[in-house]
Amino acid sequence: MSEPDQPRPTTGRRRADVTRVELVGGVERRDLYLVEPDETWPAQYAVHERRIRDALGRVAVDVQHIGSTSVPGLAAKPIVDVLVLVEDVTAEEDYLDPLLGAGYVLRVREPGHRMVRTPELDVHVHVREVGAPEVPDYTLLRDHLRRDLEDRALYERTKRELLAGEWADMNAYADAKTAVIDEIKTRARTRAADG
């Protein structure tokens, strides 16, 4: 598996990236809830990793399981998040058509990020460029929560508290978690620096 924080390609992009957020199908109101950790999440991820790699071949520079379902012992929304790194996110013809052909549906097109999902809404595939500044944070948080029981408990407790409220959509709920995620990532970076 390659390192997700490789430098950006120097050859440039095929075209300018989109400049606004497009939610295909508009804002959706979905029931947000957590389920207890499911031992089948890694196997579900593996099925989709194979499906993605078969569809994209070498266009997929890296494929990783991210998000709460990638952390054993962590309650989560029952949605498996997959990170796919490509050389050029603007070259949608290289990855979007093959992913749609593999049965995924386009949901988000925004600067530096595309997201497709299953029709059943149980898998989200996030496409980013190699070297995108957000990528190391995904794996930093995942790896830290896999090791640190206290921060894992804090994160789960925060999610449960937030889910007691009303949210316009999943994006609003995700935004509300930002403060605690930033706090946990700061501790993770400090511990990594301390060695």
Side-chain angles (χ1 to χ4, degrees), residues 33-64:
Y33 58 94
L34 296 181
V35 298
E36 294 306 311
D38 187 334
E39 293 179 3
T40 69
W41 286 333
Q44 291 174 42
Y45 160 76
V47 167
H48 287 276
E49 178 185 11
R50 177 56 31 219
R51 184 170 161 187
I52 291 162
R53 288 188 184 279
D54 287 348
L56 299 185
R58 294 192 322 195
V59 170
V61 175
D62 195 14
V63 180
Q64 293 197 39

Side-chain angles (χ1 to χ4, degrees), residues 97-163:
D97 291 341
L99 289 172
L100 298 179
Y104 298 100
V105 178
L106 179 62
R107 173 61 181 148
V108 177
R109 180 183 278 124
E110 63 184 332
H113 176 237
R114 308 298 187 268
M115 194 267 279
V116 298
R117 63 186 181 182
T118 55
E120 300 80 16
L121 311 180
D122 61 346
V123 176
H124 290 176
V125 179
H126 303 272
V127 181
R128 297 258 187 202
E129 281 183 354
V130 170
E134 305 83 0
V135 170
D137 281 354
Y138 294 137
T139 55
L140 174 79
L141 182 64
R142 176 198 64 200
D143 295 346
H144 179 75
L145 291 176
R146 285 176 174 175
R147 292 186 304 266
D148 191 295
L149 296 177
E150 288 181 23
D151 276 344
R152 186 185 319 154
L154 169 64
Y155 186 47
E156 182 172 322
R157 189 169 54 254
T158 300
K159 293 194 300 181
R160 289 187 187 282
E161 290 168 1
L162 290 171
L163 284 174

